Amino acid sequence: MGIIVLIEPQAGHTPDLDGKSWVVGGLKAVHAASSDPDTPDDPAERTLCGLETAPMEKHSYHPTAPGSHWYPPNLTPWLCHTCDAALRQ
């Protein structure tokens, strides 16, 4: 199962999928989703915590070494702990 990192923008913020708008408009949380079996570069319909992935922005981060975090370390304060726990099970 591939993991895709997703950014949940702040409420009322419309994501700009090409421009990484969460950098400017703020982010609410960093989530994980499994990759879609038919299109592995895209996320499944729901995050590991059960939220819809459609309104979220895909982050380009991929772990670089075994044991690396699934999320970008600089976004730790916004980590979804439910997604993190699901990956640790």
Side-chain angles (χ1 to χ4, degrees), residues 7-39:
I7 302 297
E8 180 184 4
Q10 288 288 354
H13 181 73
T14 303
D16 173 7
L17 299 178
D18 296 322
K20 292 192 186 265
S21 63
W22 56 269
V23 174
V24 177
L27 62 97
K28 183 175 181 181
V30 178
H31 295 279
S34 56
S35 57
D36 185 306
D38 297 326
T39 51

Side-chain angles (χ1 to χ4, degrees), residues 19-67:
K20 292 192 186 265
S21 63
W22 56 269
V23 174
V24 177
L27 62 97
K28 183 175 181 181
V30 178
H31 295 279
S34 56
S35 57
D36 185 306
D38 297 326
T39 51
D41 289 338
D42 291 335
E45 292 182 12
R46 298 214 170 258
T47 63
L48 297 181
C49 67
L51 297 176
E52 289 186 35
T53 59
M56 297 187 191
E57 296 181 48
K58 186 172 141 182
H59 195 285
S60 61
Y61 177 81
H62 294 1
T64 55

